[in-house]
Amino acid sequence: MSNESKEKVIVLIGPTAVGKTNTSIQLAEQFDGEIISGDSMQIYRRMDIGTAKITKEEMNNIPHHLLDIKEPQESFSVAEFQQLVRKKITEIHSKGHIPIIVGGTGLYIQSVLYDYQFTETPGDEEYRIHLEEEVKRYGNEWLHTKLLETDSEAGKSIHPNNVRRVIRALEIYHCTGKKMSEFQAEQKQELLYDIALIGLTMDRDLLYGRINDRVDLMMNQGLLEEVKSLYDEGLKSAQSVQAIGYKELFEYLDGEVSLERAIENLKQNSRRYAKRQLTWFRNKMDVTWYDMTNKEEHPKIIKEISDFIAGKLHLKSNK
């Protein structure tokens, strides 16, 4: 399929706290865009502060999609995300607007853009239940170590607390003798859309400082109260609360660590996640990067990004 016949999509990626939200609004205003969240946790209702979900005021009347579509006790898969986003892309185009996917969950975004098939790997429910029982007995880290021994590449890309994906990777190997990473490598790397793929980056020390400040702000905004309401609902084993920002405070509410230690763990895990995000994007996707380190340069950088998008997708900017 030629690029002329493909739907156009702007994709904005980057680590947590780098400034994607503000940049995405400016791009949406310039290109008649509608924003699709590419974040695997912002789909959950009542999980606003910990996921740094955009507020109604910040949206500036730009339509946003795939926010608040699931209850925290519900599970959510890459395959479901792929299906929902592809449908939204077509819907947005039918209105004469441009879809802008914004987020930091690399595999989710990649699954939409490329011809990824999720139905071809078999499953074994009995083995899955057995692994779920072992997690309860031995813990997340133990299971993740088992994956690292079986499929080190998948183990490095999946967080130990993403138990469902760890189990899925082990299940694929158990059923087929092939690693999840091998299945992923065999996927066709054919782009389904005509895309402008932009990445935001930043000096690491500055980014880490911003992450630390963001955690402090989240705590001031009421993150502990948000987490406690989920804790009080008995959602300890739900997929949603394995996310950074929730699991650390669950440990505090369980009496395992002090609040001070939980906040430090949250900051450290967020910094590590940002590092993993950058590594993933650099290794897996063909990104045009823009450095957001110097705040005074932001207007100039936004102009450069807009010019790149306009040239790449043959679009006219409103500004």
Side-chain angles (χ1 to χ4, degrees), residues 4 42 63 71 106 129 170 180 184 186 223 255 263 270 283 293 314 318-319:
E4 286 76 25
Q42 293 187 354
E71 291 298 333
I129 291 165
L170 286 166
M180 180 192 254
Q184 289 175 346
E186 287 168 7
L223 177 59
I263 293 167
S270 298
N283 291 342
T293 301
H314 308 292
N318 292 329
K319 293 187 180 178

Side-chain angles (χ1 to χ4, degrees), residues 43-318:
I43 58 153
Y44 290 110
R45 300 183 190 105
R46 308 196 311 283
M47 294 178 64
D48 303 331
I49 300 168
T51 64
K53 200 178 288 173
I54 189 168
T55 64
K56 280 277 183 281
E57 294 72 35
E58 288 172 326
M59 286 180 187
N60 218 16
N61 296 319
I62 300 293
H64 280 67
H65 305 275
L66 262 66
L67 299 174
D68 300 323
I69 61 168
K70 291 271 186 182
E71 291 298 333
Q73 64 270 25
E74 294 181 278
S75 62
F76 190 63
S77 68
V78 188
E80 192 176 349
F81 177 83
Q82 180 193 63
Q83 190 179 8
L84 288 169
V85 174
R86 287 181 179 173
K87 192 177 170 191
K88 283 291 174 196
I89 287 171
T90 301
E91 274 177 26
I92 292 166
H93 269 285
S94 72
K95 292 186 267 183
H97 293 171
I98 296 293
I100 305 176
I101 302 174
V102 181
T105 310
L107 178 64
Y108 277 57
I109 293 171
Q110 195 178 35
S111 76
V112 170
L113 303 177
Y114 293 91
D115 189 16
Y116 262 41
Q117 310 292 328
F118 288 104
T119 54
E120 293 168 3
T121 48
D124 180 339
E125 192 173 356
E126 199 175 310
Y127 181 68
R128 197 181 316 139
I129 291 165
H130 164 70
L131 290 178
E132 286 166 359
E133 291 301 320
E134 290 203 323
V135 170
K136 287 174 190 167
R137 196 174 305 147
Y138 304 116
N140 298 359
E141 293 287 348
W142 177 87
L143 189 76
H144 189 255
T145 301
K146 189 170 179 173
L147 176 60
L148 283 168
E149 291 166 358
T150 307
D151 182 354
S152 60
E153 194 175 328
K156 285 173 193 167
S157 69
I158 301 171
H159 193 276
N161 287 315
N162 194 344
V163 174
R164 203 173 49 81
R165 279 195 61 72
V166 173
I167 288 175
R168 183 65 183 131
L170 286 166
E171 186 185 6
I172 287 170
Y173 186 75
H174 168 77
C175 292
T176 66
K178 280 176 75 173
K179 299 171 183 178
M180 180 192 254
S181 55
E182 289 172 344
F183 273 104
Q184 289 175 346
E186 287 168 7
Q187 296 278 5
K188 292 177 189 168
Q189 290 298 301
E190 184 195 340
L191 274 168
L192 298 180
Y193 301 98
D194 185 11
I195 68 166
L197 180 52
I198 297 114
L200 304 184
T201 185
M202 187 176 278
D203 170 78
R204 183 167 288 182
D205 288 342
L206 179 62
L207 181 66
Y208 286 178
R210 281 170 63 95
I211 288 169
N212 292 341
D213 291 345
R214 175 184 272 192
V215 171
D216 290 335
L217 178 62
M218 285 175 172
M219 293 303 295
N220 290 334
Q221 288 172 331
L223 177 59
L224 183 57
E225 290 74 15
E226 179 174 281
V227 175
K228 190 172 187 309
S229 71
L230 299 169
Y231 182 86
D232 291 344
E233 286 179 40
L235 291 175
K236 192 172 180 181
S237 61
Q239 177 190 339
S240 60
V241 296
Q242 306 308 317
I244 295 169
Y246 296 85
K247 60 189 173 67
E248 294 86 359
L249 292 175
F250 263 62
E251 288 171 1
Y252 160 68
L253 293 168
D254 274 337
E256 293 174 20
V257 295
S258 67
L259 182 57
E260 190 178 32
R261 169 44 55 195
I263 293 167
E264 275 311 306
N265 290 343
L266 170 47
K267 288 178 178 178
Q268 185 181 56
N269 289 338
S270 298
R271 294 192 301 267
R272 285 175 175 167
Y273 178 58
K275 186 180 177 183
R276 283 201 312 276
Q277 284 176 302
L278 279 167
T279 302
W280 202 97
F281 288 130
R282 286 190 171 126
N283 291 342
K284 302 279 187 182
M285 300 176 87
D286 184 17
V287 183
T288 301
W289 291 98
Y290 293 88
D291 192 320
M292 306 297 281
T293 301
N294 187 344
K295 196 169 183 180
E296 290 173 8
E297 294 278 309
H298 284 192
K300 180 172 163 248
I301 296 165
I302 298 292
K303 173 78 168 62
E304 286 174 11
I305 293 171
S306 299
D307 290 346
F308 170 74
I309 291 169
K312 182 87 170 54
L313 300 182
H314 308 292
L315 295 174
K316 281 185 181 175
S317 169
N318 292 329

Side-chain angles (χ1 to χ4, degrees), residues 10-14 20-21 23-25 27 34-39 42 64 81 100-105 109:
I10 297 168
V11 185
L12 180 65
I13 60 169
K20 295 187 297 293
T21 298
T23 303
S24 69
I25 295 296
L27 294 178
E34 296 191 21
I35 292 170
I36 302 171
S37 170
D39 185 291
Q42 293 187 354
H64 280 67
F81 177 83
I100 305 176
I101 302 174
V102 181
T105 310
I109 293 171

